[in-house]
Amino acid sequence: MLVIFDNCRDPYFNLATEEFLLKESRFDQPVIRIWQNSPAIIVGRFQNTLAEIDRDFVAQQGIAVVRRITGGGAVYHDLGNVNYTVVQKAAAKKIDFEFFNRPIIELLAGYGIKAELSGRNDIEAGGRKISGSAQTIVGGRVLHHGTLLFSSDLAVLGKALKPKDSKFISKGVQSVRARVGNIADYMEKPISVEQFMKELSGFFLRQTASRSYDFTFDDFQKIKRLANEKYGQWLWNFGQSPKFNLIRTHKYDWGELSFLLLVEDGIIKDIQVYGDFFSPYEVGELFKQLAGVRFVADELKEQIKKLELWQVLPGITPEELYKQLLP
């Protein structure tokens, strides 16, 4: 296991680093990186960025907005937030949060914090979310990364993120801020975020056959190029959306799924999919097969049956998808 601990705080570079670690073939052993971002909103791979943020507040505060390559919801990062990334061979072609989150719960127990798994991908303490995580699988390798809210500015977090009401109906709470808490508030003996990062690094280095790794000059060049050409680009972070005239949204147990459709003359001209769900596939490519289909019951139903939903979004059946698109 290679453990990478560095001081880069550039959100674009840090997100590019994750993709580099996932796709760089010479890393044939597990890699763990511990890092921080300067204030930024990190948006899930399948989300509609503009629907997740308070654009005016984000612009006024100079908060970066960057899309990641994993699914899930938008999160806020600042220097009170500690991030970790794990890349290793995938045991199977499926998302598994518990395997990666258990060691974090073990670490927190050492500080006297009674933490537990919550929902699909969160860790809670004292009834508040202190960590969220996300995953993707590419080329037989899994990337799992998580946030650890240590001493984050929760007031800014609550203003920067623009939550959808549907996320809170079933939870019975009023805002993002009411659901989250900082790890530092639950510690028996206070420490700084810098000390916490060092101890987190030490925790992983104590694992079997672990050693530290420093990026080479060639590594930096490849990451910087990816940061400039992809993660620093508006097209990746916000995307160019056409004018849609239909929106179909539904919240399932496994996440929220939204379709934006452009229907002209009764024909689906374009379709985009957003949500805070997880999938190791490019979900949007699957649903583009609906473009060109007449927006009528029989034809839409027949085309939906041809989609390989079971592979890309196993949580939804063709019947459920049909009812969402044509309620």
Side-chain angles (χ1 to χ4, degrees):
M1 180 185 296
L2 301 178
V3 179
I4 302 171
F5 181 79
D6 62 61
N7 295 318
C8 179
R9 294 171 175 175
D10 183 311
Y12 307 104
F13 187 91
N14 283 331
L15 271 293
T17 299
E18 294 198 303
E19 182 172 341
F20 168 77
L21 291 174
L22 178 63
K23 297 181 178 179
E24 180 60 50
S25 60
R26 65 187 176 83
F27 291 113
D28 57 357
Q29 61 191 110
V31 179
I32 293 178
R33 181 176 182 244
I34 299 162
W35 50 283
Q36 285 184 298
N37 271 336
S38 58
I41 292 177
I42 309 302
V43 182
R45 176 66 184 89
F46 308 112
Q47 290 191 295
N48 181 347
T49 301
L50 294 177
E52 299 298 323
I53 65 174
D54 184 320
R55 285 177 283 178
D56 292 338
F57 181 82
V58 167
Q60 292 168 4
Q61 299 296 316
I63 299 172
V65 179
V66 192
R67 186 182 298 280
R68 61 180 186 266
I69 58 174
T70 59
V75 294
Y76 174 71
H77 287 180
D78 63 15
L79 296 182
N81 186 85
V82 178
N83 309 298
Y84 68 94
T85 303
V86 183
V87 178
Q88 63 181 50
K89 290 182 179 179
K93 189 73 174 181
K94 66 177 182 178
I95 303 295
D96 182 1
F97 290 106
E98 183 173 355
F99 176 80
F100 292 96
N101 282 338
R102 285 294 178 189
I104 300 300
I105 291 176
E106 177 187 339
L107 168 74
L108 295 174
Y111 294 105
I113 299 173
K114 186 177 180 180
E116 59 185 4
L117 299 174
S118 174
R120 298 173 298 163
N121 56 318
D122 296 341
I123 297 176
E124 288 189 353
R128 293 176 178 267
K129 174 182 173 179
I130 57 173
S131 175
S133 55
Q135 287 181 25
T136 191
I137 301 173
V138 175
R141 288 162 61 82
V142 58
L143 181 150
H144 172 98
H145 53 186
T147 64
L148 293 166
L149 290 168
F150 186 81
S151 56
S152 188
D153 190 331
L154 302 185
V156 174
L157 181 155
K159 293 177 181 178
L161 294 176
K162 181 181 180 181
K164 294 185 179 71
D165 292 340
S166 59
K167 282 196 173 185
F168 307 106
I169 293 173
S170 63
K171 299 178 185 295
V173 294
Q174 299 301 311
S175 69
V176 172
R177 190 178 177 188
R179 296 180 55 230
V180 297
N182 279 316
I183 292 171
D185 295 336
Y186 297 99
M187 284 187 159
E188 295 176 346
K189 296 181 180 179
I191 61 172
S192 67
V193 65
E194 292 79 12
Q195 184 62 31
F196 179 70
M197 290 183 68
K198 291 179 180 178
E199 293 180 4
L200 179 62
S201 176
F203 173 80
F204 287 117
L205 280 170
R206 289 193 295 273
Q207 308 304 311
T208 305
S210 294
R211 63 182 178 87
S212 60
Y213 177 82
D214 294 323
F215 286 126
T216 65
F217 177 78
D218 185 57
D219 292 338
F220 274 112
Q221 293 297 104
K222 290 180 179 179
I223 297 170
K224 190 65 177 177
R225 186 180 307 115
L226 186 59
N228 291 336
E229 296 177 357
K230 180 176 181 178
Y231 289 93
Q233 297 297 315
W234 183 92
L235 186 61
W236 168 254
N237 295 319
F238 289 87
Q240 296 177 339
S241 298
K243 294 181 179 179
F244 293 94
N245 50 26
L246 286 177
I247 299 176
R248 297 287 188 260
T249 298
H250 187 77
K251 187 168 181 61
Y252 300 91
D253 291 340
W254 43 268
E256 184 175 271
L257 182 64
S258 294
F259 290 97
L260 279 66
L261 300 101
L262 178 63
V263 180
E264 294 179 349
D265 299 323
I267 297 174
I268 299 175
K269 296 293 187 178
D270 199 1
I271 181 170
Q272 290 196 17
V273 57
Y274 297 102
D276 62 357
F277 54 86
F278 294 95
S279 175
Y281 295 91
E282 283 294 332
V283 178
E285 293 301 314
L286 174 72
F287 290 106
K288 285 188 181 300
Q289 296 178 42
L290 297 179
V293 176
R294 290 203 303 163
F295 199 62
V296 294
D298 291 343
E299 293 189 22
L300 189 58
K301 185 177 292 186
E302 284 303 311
Q303 189 64 27
I304 287 174
K305 288 180 180 179
K306 298 177 183 179
L307 302 179
E308 295 182 341
L309 288 174
W310 60 271
Q311 187 176 29
V312 178
L313 281 175
I316 189 172
T317 65
E319 292 75 19
E320 289 173 326
L321 175 60
Y322 168 73
K323 288 179 180 179
Q324 180 176 340
L325 291 177
L326 275 176

